[in-house]
Amino acid sequence: DRPTVSSYIQDQPTIHVPQTLIKDMVVETLEGQLLGRIEENHQRLLILPVDVCCSGIRLIPTATQGVEEARIFSLQIKE
């Protein structure tokens, strides 16, 4: 007869990951050095620490969360 505590709220829309979000990607230098391989990403903000001196960075999307085309809104590179 007592109410129970629950973190689930009834009648709320389910949270979903946008289908245009990049799920798998490869990050490398323009010289071809692999900096990182990300798989099963579900975050909108992804921080990849890199300690390398190079002329540029290439981001290669290999899969999205459902659509054919990947969408990148921002890529920031900081020293």
Side-chain angles (χ1 to χ4, degrees):
D1 291 350
R2 289 184 355 194
T4 59
V5 177
S6 173
S7 61
Y8 177 76
I9 301 172
Q10 291 182 347
D11 300 326
Q12 292 293 317
T14 57
I15 298 172
H16 71 282
V17 177
Q19 291 184 336
T20 55
L21 186 69
I22 298 174
K23 180 175 161 182
D24 301 334
M25 69 191 91
V26 174
V27 182
E28 62 186 21
T29 65
L30 292 180
E31 295 78 27
Q33 179 184 358
L34 180 67
L35 300 176
R37 184 179 309 272
I38 290 72
E39 296 176 341
E40 298 298 324
N41 177 53
H42 63 276
Q43 300 176 3
R44 293 177 189 212
L45 174 64
L46 182 65
I47 298 173
L48 179 65
V50 174
D51 188 22
V52 66
C53 183
C54 62
S55 61
I57 292 182
R58 179 181 297 126
L59 177 100
I60 305 167
T62 54
T64 65
Q65 296 288 347
V67 295
E68 191 173 314
E69 236 177 43
R71 303 277 172 94
I72 300 171
F73 294 100
S74 176
L75 176 64
Q76 297 179 5
I77 301 170
K78 298 180 182 181
E79 286 188 47

